[in-house]
Amino acid sequence: MFNEEFHLDQPIRWGMVGGGRGSQIGYIHRNSAARDRLFILTAGAFDIDDARGREFGTNLGVSAERCYPDYITMFAEEGKRQDGINAVSIATPNGTHYEICKAALNAGLHVVCEKPLCFTSDEAEELQALAQEKNRIVGVTYGYTGAQMIHQAKNMIANGDLGEIRIINMQFAHGFHSAEVEKEDAGTRWRVNPKTAGPSYVLGDVGTHALYLAKAMVPSLKIEKLMCSRQSFVKSRAPLEDNAFVLMEFEGGAVGNLWASCVNAGSMHQQKIRVIGSKASVEWWDEHPNQLRYEVQGEPARVLDRGMGYLCQKDDMVLQDRMGGGHAEGLFEAWANLYRRFGIAMDRVNHGEGAEDVMNDMWFPNIRDGAEGVRFIENCVRSADNGSIWVSYQ
């Protein structure tokens, strides 16, 4: 399905907090939101340096008067305008997400937030209650789940093609921080500082991505208990971990494991998920996102390709091709699939539907999923910091 002609009656006027010059994640947000023309970048507080942020914003085509020194000013001034923003994306360091998201909801804005949504479950519950009160959509950018083959796997699992689910292996283990790169790299420096990163580094930074892949593929998955061991191989990062192992037991008897790391020297990403059933297994690797490996016991292994007619024809995520089969799609397309769904969800609420009803009716990584990621990190830290004991999932 090609989305060039798809549009909303009223495109969503959209602002950004953070994501200024040199921000890789800001670039990804803007390009993905622009793909289907559902969002129009209208305002921004792009940088803590006002002049630099204004220069950057005007270079993007945003009016100078709508390039603000901070998010508080932006929300106040945009709220006075007839053509003020309807939604905002938060692309700032982790320690700021809670306050910005809370302020945006109080300003009546829909939100797209980087993960983690916040640092504690209490904060997450407060944001959930506020979003419900204000009837606003909050999307969380678990961007890899916009890849179509994740949803092909979800449909195969739901169809019983794998049989009873027994084991889920998850990993996101890159090697780019195997040395103390934060001495020279400010983008890494804040990630290893508890004040700005929170109680975890790699579990929150990459581990929750892998965990949410499992949740997207097996929506009924619920953790019963877990055990976590975490290490700081670059000692200056302590107490935050740069490597972690998590064992999980799920309700219903399935088990899982997660390896999150930034010290897997030589590795690019190594974000993989393998779901193992009683009859067959599927495996997806984000470095080859257009393929899904399908292995039936006693039969030759098969590689399923995106864009082919043999895939599930009843799931719009599977059918959401942005180019024909055989051409490689990647991260921008996956994020664009998410932003398309964020936009549709926001538009439905703008036309009178309840945000809770929309979340129940359509799939996208939402505030509930963001809160679950925070809850997972809390349980992992609780286990690891008490001697890597098994803990009941709270």
Side-chain angles (χ1 to χ4, degrees):
M1 179 176 65
F2 306 103
N3 299 318
E4 187 176 4
E5 296 178 85
F6 181 83
H7 61 88
L8 302 177
D9 293 339
Q10 294 291 328
I12 294 165
R13 296 185 299 275
W14 170 59
M16 285 198 74
V17 183
R21 182 175 290 124
S23 167
Q24 174 178 269
I25 204 67
Y27 180 68
I28 294 171
H29 276 277
R30 286 186 292 275
N31 276 270
S32 303
R35 289 291 174 101
D36 295 330
R37 296 175 295 146
L38 307 188
F39 294 85
I40 298 176
L41 184 61
T42 308
F46 298 106
D47 201 305
I48 57 174
D49 184 304
D50 183 19
R52 188 170 60 200
R54 181 171 284 105
E55 180 194 8
F56 178 73
T58 56
N59 287 342
L60 294 177
V62 178
S63 170
E65 69 175 8
R66 301 181 79 169
C67 294
Y68 298 97
D70 55 69
Y71 70 89
I72 295 173
T73 304
M74 178 169 72
F75 296 164
E77 293 302 314
E78 288 293 309
K80 299 174 184 177
R81 302 179 63 113
Q82 284 287 103
D83 62 349
I85 58 174
N86 313 121
V88 65
S89 288
I90 302 169
T92 56
N94 297 355
T96 64
H97 293 176
Y98 164 71
E99 291 293 348
I100 300 173
C101 187
K102 182 178 178 180
L105 290 170
N106 277 320
L109 299 173
H110 300 293
V111 179
V112 175
C113 189
E114 276 296 311
K115 52 87 199 143
L117 184 66
C118 50
F119 284 170
T120 70
S121 288
D122 286 344
E123 291 175 342
E125 289 172 7
E126 182 183 357
L127 292 177
Q128 284 182 281
L130 184 57
Q132 186 172 13
E133 175 193 335
K134 300 293 185 180
N135 195 34
R136 297 293 89 178
I137 291 293
V138 178
V140 180
T141 49
Y142 288 116
Y144 301 98
T145 51
Q148 293 116 305
M149 299 309 283
I150 294 297
H151 299 269
Q152 171 65 21
K154 178 186 72 175
N155 279 278
M156 294 171 68
I157 292 165
N159 193 47
D161 295 351
L162 276 62
E164 180 185 2
I165 302 305
R166 293 174 170 173
I167 304 166
I168 303 178
N169 292 333
M170 298 158 271
Q171 68 177 58
F172 197 152
H174 67 82
F176 288 102
H177 300 164
S178 56
E180 198 175 357
V181 296
E182 54 266 31
K183 284 185 174 181
E184 306 296 332
D185 181 16
T188 305
R189 196 175 304 132
W190 70 258
R191 286 178 166 82
V192 298
N193 182 343
K195 292 181 179 179
T196 47
S200 165
Y201 169 30
V202 292
L203 282 165
D205 194 50
V206 296
T208 52
H209 275 299
L211 181 74
Y212 189 65
L213 289 179
K215 178 66 174 177
M217 292 168 74
V218 193
S220 60
L221 207 62
K222 292 183 179 179
I223 302 171
E224 193 168 73
K225 59 182 179 178
L226 62 74
M227 178 176 67
C228 176
S229 172
R230 61 177 185 161
Q231 299 78 37
S232 307
F233 284 109
V234 176
K235 299 304 180 185
S236 61
R237 293 172 182 161
L240 301 190
E241 79 289 343
D242 50 24
N243 190 81
F245 301 98
V246 187
L247 296 178
M248 287 163 271
E249 293 185 2
F250 301 107
E251 292 180 8
V255 296
N257 63 282
L258 169 65
W259 176 29
S261 184
C262 68
V263 296
N264 184 16
S267 167
M268 291 296 290
H269 255 202
Q270 289 296 324
Q271 183 181 198
K272 292 183 176 180
I273 179 165
R274 183 176 179 86
V275 181
I276 301 165
S278 56
K279 299 191 295 185
S281 304
V282 289
E283 183 172 302
W284 182 83
W285 181 8
D286 78 342
E287 293 175 39
H288 300 276
N290 294 261
Q291 285 80 43
L292 179 71
R293 190 172 176 89
Y294 176 40
E295 301 171 4
V296 179
Q297 181 61 35
E299 299 180 10
R302 306 165 206 177
V303 177
L304 309 183
D305 273 282
R306 181 198 57 77
M308 302 305 293
Y310 51 70
L311 302 178
C312 177
Q313 300 298 302
K314 297 180 181 179
D315 190 313
D316 66 335
M317 283 295 293
V318 177
L319 301 176
Q320 209 162 45
D321 292 311
R322 294 174 183 274
M323 58 191 77
H327 300 286
E329 289 188 354
L331 189 65
F332 283 119
E333 288 76 20
W335 274 66
N337 286 341
L338 291 193
Y339 258 100
R340 181 177 186 271
R341 299 180 84 77
F342 294 155
I344 292 170
M346 293 173 187
D347 185 66
R348 287 176 62 175
V349 171
N350 291 345
H351 281 80
E353 294 188 55
E356 292 289 315
D357 293 334
V358 172
M359 283 195 291
N360 291 333
D361 183 58
M362 64 180 289
W363 176 87
F364 61 92
N366 59 50
I367 193 167
R368 299 168 186 166
D369 304 311
E372 186 60 28
V374 174
R375 184 178 170 211
F376 174 74
I377 294 168
E378 282 184 335
N379 279 275
C380 287
V381 170
R382 184 163 59 94
S383 169
D385 290 359
N386 284 282
S388 298
I389 60 172
W390 281 96
V391 297
S392 297
Y393 199 66
Q394 298 178 355

